[in-house]
């Protein structure tokens, strides 16, 4: 529009000519290719890291990172996770479990909430699996099986999920509201 051109002495780029414009377009395409190759390598490297127990982000309760940043079982908090799953199987609700833990001041000064208990119950990490992009709605969730030592058995995790489904179906409102 303003008849301006890019002229680079070092790279011999001159957009005032057809060859110069072609060269700039080729540089752009090659740059895009390099970006995509680096992205693929990064994803491949991250997948390999996850498969060898190097999980991104902080460790969940019941786990810790060792000196090599591998996720391993934390023997000090492991019994808490086992207890949560056992209590839920015995019929305790998320709220009841969180209330008990708050009364006991477990992991003082941590404040236990029913949503915290629910997230623990829903987390597949406790049976050794890792879900990537679980909370990212733009990407499909990826499941990595047996990447960390499990705290509970797969059978127990499945049993808890069935119990959770029963609890959700059992809930019904018995009040009639005006509005």
């Amino acid at each position: 529009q303003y008849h301006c051109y890019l002229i680079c002495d070092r790279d011999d780029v001159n957009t005032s000519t057809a060859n110069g414009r072609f060269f700039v377009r080729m540089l752009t395409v090659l740059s895009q290719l390099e970006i995509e190759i680096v992205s693929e390598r990064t994803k491949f490297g991250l997948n390999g890291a996850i498969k060898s127990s190097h999980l991104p982000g902080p460790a969940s309760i019941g786990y810790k990172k060792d000196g090599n940043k591998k996720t391993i079982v934390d023997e000090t908090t492991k019994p808490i996770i086992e207890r949560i799953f056992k209590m839920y199987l015995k019929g305790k609700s998320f709220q009841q479990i969180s209330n008990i833990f708050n009364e006991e001041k477990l992991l003082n000064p941590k404040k236990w909430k029913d949503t915290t208990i629910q997230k623990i119950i829903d987390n597949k990490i406790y049976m050794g699996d890792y879900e990537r992009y679980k909370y990212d709605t733009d990407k499909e969730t990826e499941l990595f099986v047996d990447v960390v030592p499990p705290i509970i058995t797969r059978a127990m995790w499945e049993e808890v999920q069935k119990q959770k489904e029963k609890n959700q179906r059992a809930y019904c409102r018995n009040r009639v509201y005006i509005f």
Side-chain angles (χ1 to χ4, degrees):
Q1 176 181 344
Y2 298 107
H3 304 290
C4 295
Y5 303 101
L6 175 66
I7 300 172
C8 298
D9 289 337
R10 285 187 141 176
D11 296 330
D12 197 26
V13 174
N14 183 351
T15 60
S16 65
T17 65
N19 283 339
R21 287 189 295 275
F22 171 77
F23 186 68
V24 167
R25 287 186 195 115
M26 290 309 296
L27 285 176
T28 305
V29 169
L30 289 172
S31 297
Q32 181 65 33
L33 174 66
E34 180 63 24
I35 289 168
E36 289 175 9
I37 288 172
V38 168
S39 175
E40 286 175 1
R41 286 182 185 153
T42 302
K43 287 176 187 172
F44 182 76
L46 186 56
N47 287 349
I50 289 171
K51 289 175 184 172
S52 62
S53 300
H54 292 274
L55 303 183
S60 301
I61 298 172
Y63 290 96
K64 65 181 179 179
K65 305 270 183 161
D66 69 2
N68 296 326
K69 296 184 182 176
K70 284 181 79 170
T71 303
I72 60 171
V73 174
D74 181 1
E75 295 299 329
T76 58
T77 55
K78 175 184 173 181
I80 296 169
I81 299 303
E82 291 170 333
R83 189 173 167 206
I84 288 170
F85 279 87
K86 286 175 185 171
M87 288 171 81
Y88 192 78
L89 279 177
K90 288 180 183 173
K92 299 277 189 217
S93 69
F94 302 140
Q95 188 64 55
Q96 288 171 330
I97 296 169
S98 64
N99 289 345
I100 290 168
F101 285 1
N102 284 326
E103 285 172 19
E104 294 175 3
K105 296 190 183 327
L106 198 62
L107 294 180
N108 202 20
K110 181 169 177 52
K111 174 86 169 112
W112 291 90
K113 298 178 185 169
D114 59 335
T115 54
T116 307
I117 303 299
Q118 183 177 3
K119 284 179 183 175
I120 289 171
I121 294 288
D122 289 341
N123 199 341
K124 291 184 179 182
I125 197 76
Y126 297 112
M127 65 173 176
D129 299 347
Y130 175 72
E131 289 181 296
R132 185 165 65 172
Y133 305 131
K134 183 177 180 177
Y135 300 107
D136 191 343
T137 55
D138 296 337
K139 297 179 182 174
E140 189 175 328
T141 302
E142 289 181 56
L143 181 65
F144 295 86
V145 180
D146 292 329
V147 294
V148 294
I151 292 178
I152 60 162
T153 64
R154 210 169 274 286
M156 182 184 223
W157 194 87
E158 294 293 336
E159 201 175 325
V160 166
Q161 300 314 305
K162 287 177 188 170
Q163 180 67 36
K164 191 176 87 170
E165 203 172 298
K166 284 180 196 172
N167 290 356
Q168 288 173 343
R169 275 192 261 137
Y171 176 76
C172 65
R173 291 197 170 120
N174 55 6
R175 295 181 179 163
V176 177
Y177 294 97
I178 296 172
F179 298 105

